[in-house]
Amino acid sequence: MNKPKEKVDFKSLIKVNLLFAALLFMSFNSYAEISKEEKQALIDLYDATNGENWSNKWDLKKPVATWHGVTVNNDEVVKLNLFNNNLNGILPTSIGNLKALKSLNLAFNKLSGVLPQQINSLSKLVVLKIEMNRLKGDLPNSLNNLTDLQELSAFNNFLTGSIPSELGDLKNLKILNLSSNNFKGTIPVSIGNLNNLETLGLFENKLEGKMPSEFGKLSKLKELVLANNMLEGSIPKEVGELASLEVFQIQNNGFNSFENVNSFKSNNLLVFDFDREKIEKFPKYTDVNVYSTRMADTKFEDE
């Protein structure tokens, strides 16, 4: 006798096929290729910074989305995180071709040379971290094209020249850290336009002149670190009225008037570092009762 035919469960079959198609799509989407221009920009970076000796090397034969630190979304590179990866060399100008990039973290490497002007082409950039390298030369004033930028961290390099006044155009900036470089001249008053700024680090440069009273407009400012410069004059009363300030470090400068130090309005002030011996020369300022010794708390992050 012939065995009865088993019924085909079409619903289950359809579900399996749909699941397989979804997995196939996800796999294809994960490893979809970016444009030749973007891929070449990454290869240029690899070649220019001695990629063969990186801590985490790229296999250039594999899809770009599998490369260490590269995040691809909708066939575009949106994030490049090569933090502490032993990059050694200069940044190629073609890095400006990664036009969809939102986050660029090249911190804690051995990058040298200048920061390419082509960085200004990365108009979608939100985070730019290049701290702890050997970069030199001026900070491009065309960085003001990066209007979405929220963090610019370039501390501990060999950057020179003046701080571009154009940085005052970056209205979304929350963190600006240019400490431990060789910047000269005065602090641009335009920094007072950065209404969203929470952290301003300029310590250990060669900055001179007065502390801008325009800092008083930075209502969200929590950290103001100006230690180890050649600033002079008085502490602006507008700075004493910053209600959100938690860290204020002004030691090792040439300030000669502390009249407004006693008028701090902030109830959140945790760290106030100043030259105690200088204040003691002015008896009317010796009742300053907020005193702490701590160098600037520079955060080291890999994101």
Side-chain angles (χ1 to χ4, degrees), residues 4-260:
K5 294 182 179 179
E6 295 182 1
K7 290 184 178 180
V8 178
D9 188 347
F10 287 105
K11 289 185 178 180
S12 297
L13 188 60
I14 290 173
K15 287 181 179 179
V16 169
N17 287 335
L18 287 174
L19 180 60
F20 177 75
L23 291 173
L24 186 64
F25 173 78
M26 289 173 63
S27 176
F28 173 78
N29 188 59
S30 297
Y31 298 118
E33 273 300 314
I34 62 176
S35 70
K36 291 182 179 179
E37 188 178 44
E38 282 192 284
K39 185 174 183 179
Q40 188 58 54
L42 293 175
I43 294 173
D44 289 347
L45 176 64
Y46 189 79
D47 291 340
T49 58
N50 204 11
E52 288 298 317
N53 289 315
W54 285 6
S55 301
N56 295 283
K57 294 186 282 289
W58 289 344
D59 186 342
L60 303 183
K61 296 180 181 178
K62 290 185 176 181
V64 171
T66 67
W67 296 359
H68 170 76
V70 179
T71 301
V72 177
N73 187 27
N74 294 327
D75 301 344
E76 294 177 315
V77 179
V78 296
K79 185 176 181 180
L80 184 56
N81 183 358
L82 296 174
F83 174 88
N84 195 23
N85 200 43
N86 200 36
L87 277 66
N88 190 343
I90 63 173
L91 291 175
T93 58
S94 57
I95 198 168
N97 293 333
L98 301 173
K99 298 187 184 300
L101 207 59
K102 294 183 179 180
S103 178
L104 177 59
N105 187 347
L106 302 175
F108 281 74
N109 284 291
K110 301 173 185 176
L111 297 172
S112 56
V114 300
L115 194 63
Q117 289 281 350
Q118 288 76 6
I119 288 285
N120 66 13
S121 298
L122 307 180
S123 59
K124 297 182 180 180
L125 210 58
V126 176
V127 175
L128 176 57
K129 294 172 66 67
I130 53 174
E131 66 265 26
M132 297 296 293
N133 279 287
R134 302 168 181 171
L135 295 168
K136 62 181 182 179
D138 295 348
L139 199 62
N141 54 20
S142 55
L143 286 177
N144 65 339
N145 291 338
L146 310 182
T147 53
D148 290 339
L149 202 63
Q150 295 182 17
E151 178 175 1
L152 172 55
S153 183
F155 66 84
N156 216 321
N157 278 283
F158 299 102
L159 298 171
T160 55
S162 58
I163 297 174
S165 61
E166 288 82 359
L167 292 182
D169 296 333
L170 303 178
K171 300 299 176 60
N172 291 307
L173 209 58
K174 294 181 179 180
I175 298 173
L176 176 60
N177 194 338
L178 304 178
S179 298
S180 294
N181 280 286
N182 293 308
F183 289 112
K184 297 180 180 180
T186 58
I187 300 174
V189 297
S190 61
I191 289 180
N193 297 330
L194 302 177
N195 297 326
N196 291 302
L197 200 63
E198 298 177 3
T199 298
L200 177 58
L202 300 176
F203 84 92
E204 204 167 51
N205 279 287
K206 298 176 181 178
L207 299 171
E208 56 189 14
K210 296 183 178 181
M211 186 188 307
S213 60
E214 286 78 3
F215 281 179
K217 297 188 292 184
L218 304 176
S219 60
K220 297 181 181 179
L221 196 64
K222 297 179 181 179
E223 296 188 23
L224 177 55
V225 183
L226 304 174
N228 298 1
N229 279 288
M230 298 182 290
L231 299 172
E232 58 187 10
S234 61
I235 310 301
K237 64 178 182 179
E238 292 85 355
V239 173
E241 295 172 354
L242 290 173
S244 299
L245 202 61
E246 297 175 357
V247 176
F248 184 46
Q249 296 180 300
I250 58 171
Q251 69 270 32
N252 297 326
N253 277 287
F255 295 115
N256 56 17
S257 174
F258 300 88
E259 184 174 354
N260 298 309

